[in-house]
Amino acid sequence: MKKRIISLLAILFFTLLGCTDNTPQNHFSETVKVALRDAGNTLLLANNDSTSLILPITKLDGNRYELAFQKKLSITPDSLVVAITNSLNAAKLPKQYIVEVFNCKNEGVFYSFQIKGTTESDIIPCKGRNLPIGCYTIQILFLENNPTLKTYITLLVLLASTLLFGFFYFKKRNSKTNRKEVTSYSKIGDYRFYKDQSKLIKEAVEIKLSAKECELMAMLSANLNQVVKRETLVKEIWEDHGVFVDRSLDTFISKLRKKFKDDPSISIVNVHGVGYKLEVL
């Protein structure tokens, strides 16, 4: 899971880096001007005009730009919508904007439409009602900032969310691990037996156990108040782990009994001829 989070962070980082390096975030106006010039060329060609000039694209204020022509032309709403939409989409510019057609005498809006980013919500009136030949300027007002900035912010949010997820995930996992380490013991009366740490603890007193004492304690505590056969203890603890003499088991049982000498409720009982039992009253 840790590797997956690191990989995701790397992907988000390089995507974000690529976004800032390869998109027109710092060249928004220039990109708009190129796109509008392309749209203007399409409109002129629709008027069978391949020689007259498209005048310099003007930035009026904020996100509003103006497209003007050298000669008069006729504007068909259908063609205007297609020309503007195709050019802006090709340039990956904002998908929400208002287009207005003015006459050169500035006598008001002769035609307008609004694109909201989805076909169902777009407002495109008066299709098929052509504007007569005249001197026109076309203004476009973008209703949102450069989408690159939106993408940039989205990626930052994703990156921050992933970092937070990773932080809380590992914090939670480490917390669980620590709790497991703290509570990984067997309760024997008032004692706590920590097998992994080879020790017994009673209140603030810590009692160390040898390797064999710890193995023997583990088997007896796992079968609390039950008899564990002598041969089972010998086989599990001494077989293939060194030399066993007849009195070895009894010696270690005696050592364990001394660990519990101060607690009369705990005893290691010898069941004659059978084995031993760790008994807790």
Side-chain angles (χ1 to χ4, degrees):
M1 185 66 181
K2 184 177 180 180
K3 290 182 178 179
R4 289 183 181 177
I5 292 176
I6 293 173
S7 298
L8 182 55
L9 288 174
I11 291 170
L12 285 173
F13 174 77
F14 286 113
T15 301
L16 185 59
L17 185 63
C19 240
T20 55
D21 289 342
N22 300 321
T23 53
Q25 175 67 26
N26 299 320
H27 308 285
F28 181 68
S29 291
E30 290 79 0
T31 304
V32 171
K33 291 175 182 180
V34 171
L36 291 183
R37 188 167 291 278
D38 178 65
N41 180 64
T42 301
L43 292 174
L44 288 177
L45 292 177
N47 280 262
N48 298 315
D49 182 352
S50 60
T51 58
S52 67
L53 299 178
I54 298 171
L55 299 181
I57 308 299
T58 305
K59 180 177 181 181
L60 300 178
D61 57 68
N63 287 333
R64 185 185 293 273
Y65 295 81
E66 183 177 77
L67 168 64
F69 305 90
Q70 183 185 28
K71 292 184 178 182
K72 295 180 179 181
L73 73 162
S74 173
I75 294 179
T76 303
D78 307 65
S79 300
L80 177 63
V81 172
V82 172
I84 295 291
T85 302
N86 288 347
S87 296
L88 296 188
N89 287 346
K92 300 186 184 305
L93 289 167
K95 296 184 181 300
Q96 297 185 34
Y97 49 87
I98 294 175
V99 175
E100 296 176 309
V101 180
F102 296 83
N103 75 343
C104 296
K105 295 180 181 179
N106 196 24
E107 294 177 344
V109 178
F110 274 51
Y111 177 71
S112 62
F113 67 89
Q114 181 175 358
I115 300 298
K116 295 185 176 181
T118 59
T119 304
E120 296 78 9
S121 58
D122 293 342
I123 303 174
I124 306 175
C126 304
K127 284 187 176 182
R129 296 177 181 271
N130 300 347
L131 299 183
I133 294 177
C135 180
Y136 298 107
T137 61
I138 300 171
Q139 293 184 15
I140 179 167
L141 172 64
F142 292 100
L143 302 177
E144 60 178 333
N145 291 326
N146 186 349
T148 303
L149 179 60
K150 186 177 180 180
T151 302
Y152 185 88
I153 294 173
T154 301
L155 287 172
L156 280 178
V157 171
L158 285 172
L159 183 61
S161 299
T162 307
L163 284 171
L164 286 173
F165 171 77
F167 172 77
F168 286 113
Y169 171 79
F170 287 115
K171 183 178 180 180
K172 184 177 180 181
R173 192 178 72 170
N174 290 337
S175 176
K176 286 183 178 180
T177 301
N178 292 336
R179 285 200 301 271
K180 184 177 180 182
E181 289 176 355
V182 171
T183 59
S184 181
Y185 64 84
S186 301
K187 193 84 166 80
I188 304 172
D190 293 331
Y191 289 82
R192 288 173 292 169
F193 170 49
Y194 293 84
K195 179 182 177 181
D196 294 337
Q197 299 176 41
S198 300
K199 66 181 180 181
L200 287 166
I201 291 181
K202 182 180 182 182
E203 296 176 351
V205 180
E206 182 176 303
I207 305 168
K208 287 292 184 180
L209 301 174
S210 67
K212 286 289 185 286
E213 288 172 342
C214 187
E215 291 181 60
L216 186 56
M217 190 76 254
M219 292 192 67
L220 292 174
S221 63
N223 298 275
L224 204 61
N225 294 317
Q226 298 179 38
V227 178
V228 182
K229 293 183 178 180
R230 183 183 183 89
E231 55 266 30
T232 300
L233 293 171
V234 172
K235 178 179 176 62
E236 293 295 328
I237 299 174
W238 276 274
E239 187 174 80
D240 299 326
H241 297 286
V243 179
F244 173 76
V245 295
D246 189 53
R247 298 294 299 172
S248 293
L249 176 57
D250 301 321
T251 300
F252 281 100
I253 289 292
S254 178
K255 290 180 178 181
L256 285 180
R257 282 175 174 151
K258 292 179 181 179
K259 311 290 185 185
F260 298 105
K261 65 180 181 180
D262 295 328
D263 192 336
S265 67
I266 300 174
S267 59
I268 301 177
V269 180
N270 178 14
V271 180
H272 185 69
V274 182
Y276 290 93
K277 174 172 65 173
L278 177 59
E279 194 172 78
V280 179
L281 302 177

